[in-house]
């Protein structure tokens, strides 16, 4: 049986976002230890691991249709959220091929791809798309190939061009970002793009990451988890729309913290592309409310410990300072200090009632 999609969710204004019990347990909880410090934490992106979110090259879940609808709304308001510099056209076709082939192979009940030479037929059943086109000829698609296929995927994507022993953000589809702007960052080098991150530069994290990524091989993608927190289940927390979401941080109280605060996790994947030699950087966003985190004993205890020991610089960078103490106070009565198993996997297969 295929994925049961939720079609009526909203990630803005009158929020209506719910994770099923299975959706809660498949959440890629980012903390494998009781303390957190920014690190490279890259591993091979191979099927399997502690969460079903790692099972396929690109994760599709129950929120797929709603998230694609949200992307379309963001782009209608601000088409600049998708930009690709002219020299990146080969990388656009690389991305289209990678996503279409991966989705068709991993979710055949929902997607299919038929090839007759350069004439391809792409079927996306959840979104009702049946498109024939000629690979390599952008005029045969409704829009540029990178925009066309990333409109049909969850999460954000950037294209990194490799030159002069560096990586440059030379394209992207960015509608679900955690307070950064493609319009501002496009064309930046690797260190320029990561400039605002505290503590990591001093410890050489980004120097090591760049050296590693410059050697990334085709057919050997890698992944890592990153995290922050968001008030309300809002995907678009861009600088451009800060007036819409920034004030939400002032609305957290002891009474509403469990419903309002959401752990926001990014499954970041990096793929070397075959024709262009560019790197596709996928940034897949997941949201889980504090109320649902509390249903998993290991996660609620570990989150309490991580937030209690989080360096002030990281708390400030992630925008948690206004409400971190409220979360800690809420979780403290539920943490008995018992030793927890290492790793991010939940410690249960059944959840108590919400």
């Amino acid at each position: 049986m295929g994925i049961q999609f939720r079609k009526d969710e909203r990630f803005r204004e009158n929020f209506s976002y719910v994770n099923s019990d299975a959706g809660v347990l498949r959440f890629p909880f980012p903390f494998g230890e009781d303390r957190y410090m920014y690190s490279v934490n890259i591993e091979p992106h191979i099927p399997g691991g502690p969460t079903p979110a790692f099972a396929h090259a690109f994760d599709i879940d129950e929120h797929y249709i709603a998230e694609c609808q949200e992307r379309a709304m963001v782009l209608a308001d601000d088409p600049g959220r998708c930009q690709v510099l002219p020299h990146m056209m080969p990388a656009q076709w690389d991305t289209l091929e990678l996503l279409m082939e991966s989705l068709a192979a991993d979710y055949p009940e929902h997607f299919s791809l038929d090839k007759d030479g350069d004439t391809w037929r792409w079927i996306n059943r959840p979104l009702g798309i049946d498109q024939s086109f000629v690979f390599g000829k952008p005029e045969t698609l409704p829009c540029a190939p990178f925009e066309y296929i990333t409109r049909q995927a969850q999460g954000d994507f950037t294209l990194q061009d490799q030159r002069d022993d560096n990586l440059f953000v030379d394209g992207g589809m960015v509608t679900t970002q955690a307070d950064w702007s493609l319009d501002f960052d496009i064309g930046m080098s690797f260190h320029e793009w990561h400039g605002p991150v505290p503590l990591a530069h001093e410890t050489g994290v980004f120097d090591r990451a760049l050296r590693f990524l410059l050697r990334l091989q085709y057919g050997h993608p890698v992944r890592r988890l990153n995290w922050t927190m968001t008030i309300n289940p809002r995907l678009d927390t861009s600088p451009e729309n800060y007036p819409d979401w920034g004030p939400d941080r002032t609305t957290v109280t002891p009474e509403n913290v469990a419903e309002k605060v959401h752990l926001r996790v990014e499954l970041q994947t990096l793929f070397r592309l075959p024709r262009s030699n560019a790197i596709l950087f996928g940034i897949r966003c997941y949201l889980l409310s504090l109320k649902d985190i509390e249903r998993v004993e290991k996660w609620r205890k570990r989150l309490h410990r991580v937030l209690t020991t989080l360096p002030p610089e990281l708390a400030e960078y992630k925008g948690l300072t206004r409400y971190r103490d409220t979360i800690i106070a809420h979780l403290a009565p539920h943490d008995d200090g018992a030793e927890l198993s290492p790793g991010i996997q939940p410690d249960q297969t059944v959840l108590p009632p919400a």
Side-chain angles (χ1 to χ4, degrees):
M1 185 176 69
I3 302 167
Q4 301 302 302
F5 298 110
R6 297 178 178 273
K7 301 180 181 180
D8 300 320
E9 295 181 314
R10 285 187 62 83
F11 302 93
R12 56 177 71 199
E13 297 145 359
N14 298 322
F15 299 96
S16 57
Y17 173 82
V18 177
N19 281 295
S20 65
D21 286 356
V24 172
L25 289 172
R26 78 187 305 278
F27 182 77
F29 188 74
F31 307 119
E33 301 175 345
D34 290 351
R35 290 176 177 268
Y36 174 82
M37 175 52 73
Y38 205 93
S39 64
V40 176
N41 65 304
I42 289 176
E43 65 181 15
H45 185 36
I46 55 178
T51 167
F54 293 166
H56 302 302
F58 301 97
D59 187 42
I60 298 295
D61 66 13
E62 60 190 345
H63 309 294
Y64 173 74
I65 292 177
E67 289 189 23
C68 289
Q69 292 170 341
E70 168 69 12
R71 166 154 289 159
M73 287 189 282
V74 173
L75 290 170
D77 291 338
D78 184 1
R81 300 294 192 88
C82 183
Q83 299 184 48
V84 185
L85 298 184
H87 68 281
M88 298 297 284
M89 183 56 73
Q92 293 203 45
W93 287 109
D94 279 338
T95 301
L96 178 141
E97 180 181 45
L98 175 61
L99 276 162
M100 285 186 175
E101 289 187 344
S102 298
L103 295 177
D106 292 337
Y107 309 94
E109 67 275 32
H110 299 302
F111 307 95
S112 62
L113 177 64
D114 295 314
K115 300 180 182 180
D116 183 5
D118 289 337
T119 300
W120 293 15
R121 182 185 180 192
W122 166 249
I123 297 177
N124 179 329
R125 296 177 185 86
L127 299 184
I129 294 172
D130 187 336
Q131 178 75 50
S132 295
F133 63 98
V134 179
F135 186 87
K137 294 189 175 182
E139 65 272 17
T140 62
L141 286 170
C143 56
F146 180 80
E147 178 180 348
Y148 178 77
I149 194 57
T150 56
R151 278 179 174 266
Q152 301 176 52
Q154 290 173 272
D156 291 334
F157 298 88
T158 67
L159 289 169
Q160 325 292 314
D161 190 29
Q162 181 167 330
R163 59 184 186 272
D164 301 328
D165 293 324
N166 210 331
L167 296 174
F168 295 83
V169 186
D170 284 351
M173 168 68 85
V174 182
T175 66
T176 68
Q177 69 266 49
D179 199 11
W180 65 277
S181 170
L182 176 66
D183 204 34
F184 182 78
D185 288 351
I186 194 160
M188 283 188 176
S189 69
F190 186 83
H191 284 84
E192 290 170 336
W193 183 22
H194 293 96
V197 181
L199 302 178
H201 293 274
E202 296 86 342
T203 58
V205 166
F206 292 121
D207 293 331
R208 295 193 299 274
L210 177 60
R211 288 195 298 270
F212 178 87
L213 294 176
L214 289 173
R215 297 192 297 269
L216 185 66
Q217 298 297 305
Y218 173 67
H220 297 278
V222 296
R223 66 182 176 231
R224 68 183 295 269
L225 294 176
N226 194 23
W227 70 278
T228 185
M229 287 187 158
T230 297
I231 308 307
N232 299 316
R234 188 188 297 273
L235 286 175
D236 180 14
T237 57
S238 59
E240 289 86 350
N241 283 345
Y242 181 81
D244 295 333
W245 59 267
D248 290 350
R249 294 174 174 177
T250 68
T251 65
V252 178
T253 68
E255 291 73 31
N256 65 24
V257 61
E259 289 77 22
K260 270 190 168 285
V261 172
H262 288 69
L263 184 58
R264 180 189 187 100
V265 172
E266 295 173 352
L267 169 54
Q268 301 179 348
T269 53
L270 297 110
F271 298 81
R272 177 70 71 180
L273 300 176
R275 298 173 184 82
S276 60
N277 199 45
I279 291 177
L280 178 68
F281 181 31
I283 312 167
R284 172 72 159 84
C285 177
Y286 301 81
L287 297 170
L288 191 64
S289 69
L290 186 60
K291 182 177 181 180
D292 277 334
I293 291 171
E294 290 182 89
R295 300 172 68 196
V296 181
E297 181 179 6
K298 175 180 174 180
W299 291 355
R300 68 173 180 255
K301 292 179 180 180
R302 179 151 288 159
L303 180 60
H304 172 250
R305 298 172 195 183
V306 165
L307 292 180
T308 300
T309 59
L310 191 68
E313 299 92 335
L314 284 178
E316 177 67 27
Y317 169 66
K318 293 179 179 292
L320 312 181
T321 51
R322 284 184 177 271
Y323 54 88
R324 180 173 67 153
D325 288 346
T326 305
I327 302 172
I328 292 172
H330 180 81
L331 292 174
H334 308 289
D335 184 1
D336 57 7
E339 184 175 352
L340 301 175
S341 63
I344 69 173
Q345 71 282 353
D347 54 3
Q348 59 205 81
T349 57
V350 179
L351 294 174

